[in-house]
Amino acid sequence: MNTTTPSLRPVGLLATLTLGVWLACAAWPRLLVMLGIYDYGTFYLDSYALLAALDAMRTGADPHAVNALDPLLRYHVYSDWWLALRRLGLTREHNFLVGTAWVGAFAVTAWTTARPRHWREAVWLATLLVSPPVLLAVNRANNDLVIFVVLAGCGVAATATGWGRSLVAVACLALATGLKYFPAPAALAFLWVRPVRRMPAVLLVALLAAGLAFASVWTELDRGRFTVGSGVHVMGAPLWWRDLGWKDTASALPGVLLIVAGAVVLALSRITAGLAARGEPRERLRAALGAIVVLTCFVAGVNYAYRWIFILWPALWLWRQASDRSRANRERWAARSGCVLVGLCLWLDGGLCVAVNLLPPRDPVWVGHVQFIFRQWTQPLHWLLMMLLAGWLLEGGLATVREWWSLRREN
């Protein structure tokens, strides 16, 4: 079999491994508990919250207030675009169907957009798809799964020769932005549109569409801002600063500056060495898309770990950069380091939970102290990964601009 061409066999292996672990966790919930993932007595907890908001509207209650129909009394924290689902007649009784549909759509999208070329890629991707952050998203049927599916549609613009597919891609970006806010900066991923002569026009339309969608939900943004405590299965720049005594708002600017500084150093070193990222255009665009989303969520605040699902596309791109024997050893080493960092960021919290749960019951104060020490040692890994992602994005963006400028001068 040609290991450089995607075939159904590696995809089938990926699907089998993924579904096998997901179904095992559904059949034996204790596995999730060992990993520190709880359902609080409700399967598909997050899709249930959305359906509870729709039911509250039908009773005349305010979905943006504390909702007695939700097990955790949560109010509707998302944009009002989601409330349009009430026109479909969905209620809490449909939660299993809705949650399963979201999970299934995410799984199929992940498998088909990744398209592993051989068994090693399939195993690598399966390792990510059965990691605790992804299991958290699947167990809760969080609507980030829907955003992942919608954003996957942006990839059709990568090599579009006409405006039809480009407009579909832009519409996907606008929809994702209106539903969940944070995809707006991902408009910059359209820098990776090819042929490069079309890039400025497509990028401008994408920025405009994302901007309009974001403006339409701007007044609703505050409801999505709530404090996520420090602990396990969370991610975000403020976590490290909190433990140093900084407030989240005070640490925002230093955090951004630190990542930018690391990105500039990496990008300049790659440019000076004459290195350039490769890859199939659609693969590169989706990798940039996922990296931008992860970076945005990381610097914006502390989020639950299911935000890591968007690392899937960058992780695949890193794997293929590391496996490309035509690349310089230095570049392959950097890509391997990125793969290691991705694996550690997705699995370390789950490993800590397993270790603590295997011990005899301990005092909560002791557990909190262990988590504090654990964060001090593991948060630098998150920062290194973010700097690498930002550096590769910066280098790729500059390379695109240079390519477009050279083409313009030739013409």
Side-chain angles (χ1 to χ4, degrees):
M1 182 181 69
N2 186 350
T3 59
T4 63
T5 303
S7 70
L8 292 179
R9 189 172 298 174
V11 176
L13 174 61
L14 173 61
T16 300
L17 292 174
T18 304
L19 286 178
V21 175
W22 287 5
L23 292 174
C25 290
W28 296 287
R30 180 62 183 168
L31 296 175
L32 292 176
V33 174
M34 288 293 293
L35 290 168
I37 299 172
Y38 304 91
D39 61 13
Y40 301 97
T42 302
F43 203 56
Y44 294 154
L45 189 65
D46 289 347
S47 61
Y48 190 95
L50 178 58
L51 297 176
L54 302 182
D55 285 345
M57 290 183 66
R58 293 188 180 95
T59 65
D62 181 4
H64 307 119
V66 172
N67 191 351
L69 302 179
D70 180 70
L72 302 183
L73 305 178
R74 292 169 291 178
Y75 60 91
H76 183 67
V77 299
Y78 312 118
S79 82
D80 287 344
W81 288 29
W82 289 98
L83 300 180
L85 290 174
R86 69 184 184 277
R87 298 173 184 172
L88 300 179
L90 296 174
T91 70
R92 288 169 293 163
E93 294 181 358
H94 300 110
N95 186 47
F96 182 78
L97 293 177
V98 171
T100 302
W102 288 3
V103 170
F106 166 73
V108 171
T109 302
W111 301 333
T112 55
T113 56
R115 293 288 292 175
R117 297 169 179 170
H118 45 68
W119 71 268
R120 289 182 296 275
E121 281 188 1
V123 171
W124 164 241
L125 292 168
T127 301
L128 306 182
L129 284 171
V130 302
S131 65
V134 178
L135 291 176
L136 179 65
V138 169
N139 178 257
R140 297 176 68 119
N142 185 266
N143 55 10
D144 276 13
L145 300 175
V146 178
I147 304 303
F148 182 94
V149 174
V150 174
L151 286 178
C154 295
V156 301
T159 56
T161 55
W163 274 100
R165 288 193 295 172
S166 296
L167 291 177
V168 170
V170 169
C172 288
L173 175 68
L175 177 60
T177 299
L179 290 173
K180 212 68 187 283
Y181 317 126
F182 61 76
L188 294 174
F190 286 83
L191 278 166
W192 279 261
V193 165
R194 293 297 182 273
V196 75
R197 65 178 180 275
R198 301 189 67 252
M199 179 273 296
V202 178
L203 175 62
L204 181 60
V205 173
L207 288 169
L208 180 61
L212 290 174
F214 192 76
S216 73
V217 295
W218 175 257
T219 57
E220 305 164 15
L221 192 61
D222 283 343
R223 80 169 63 131
R225 294 173 177 166
F226 53 91
T227 301
V228 177
S230 300
V232 294
H233 299 317
V234 293
M235 58 91 79
L239 282 172
W240 202 12
W241 301 94
R242 282 180 186 176
D243 291 336
L244 298 176
W246 290 55
K247 293 182 178 180
D248 289 5
T249 52
S251 67
L253 181 58
V256 171
L257 293 177
L258 185 57
I259 291 176
V260 169
V264 169
V265 171
L266 177 63
L268 290 178
S269 67
R270 288 174 59 83
I271 293 171
T272 303
L275 302 177
R278 298 178 187 172
E280 188 269 332
R282 189 172 299 188
E283 174 187 305
R284 290 180 62 194
L285 191 148
R286 288 199 179 110
L289 193 78
I292 293 170
V293 168
V294 171
L295 274 165
T296 299
C297 294
F298 184 79
V299 301
V302 179
N303 300 270
Y304 291 110
Y306 43 66
R307 289 282 194 271
W308 282 114
I309 64 173
F310 298 100
I311 202 67
L312 177 67
W313 295 318
L316 176 63
W317 178 81
L318 285 171
W319 178 274
R320 288 178 177 169
Q321 293 290 300
S323 303
D324 186 355
R325 296 184 181 276
S326 67
R327 307 300 290 165
N329 287 335
R330 172 182 172 182
E331 188 168 16
R332 294 180 65 195
W333 181 88
R336 290 192 191 106
S337 299
C339 290
V340 171
L341 288 171
V342 169
L344 291 174
C345 288
L346 266 62
W347 275 98
L348 279 174
D349 278 11
L352 174 67
C353 291
V354 171
V356 171
N357 285 324
L358 288 175
L359 295 173
R362 299 285 184 142
D363 183 86
V365 175
W366 179 87
V367 175
H369 181 69
V370 168
Q371 290 182 3
F372 173 81
I373 300 299
F374 184 78
R375 282 195 302 274
Q376 295 301 299
W377 284 96
T378 58
Q379 279 302 299
L381 302 177
H382 291 223
W383 283 85
L384 284 174
L385 177 60
M386 296 304 148
M387 290 177 188
L388 286 174
L389 293 177
W392 280 312
L393 286 170
L394 180 58
E395 179 269 326
L398 291 174
T400 292
V401 172
R402 291 198 307 272
E403 183 182 352
W404 174 79
W405 183 252
S406 297
L407 181 64
R408 183 183 178 187
R409 292 182 65 181
E410 291 174 1
N411 296 333

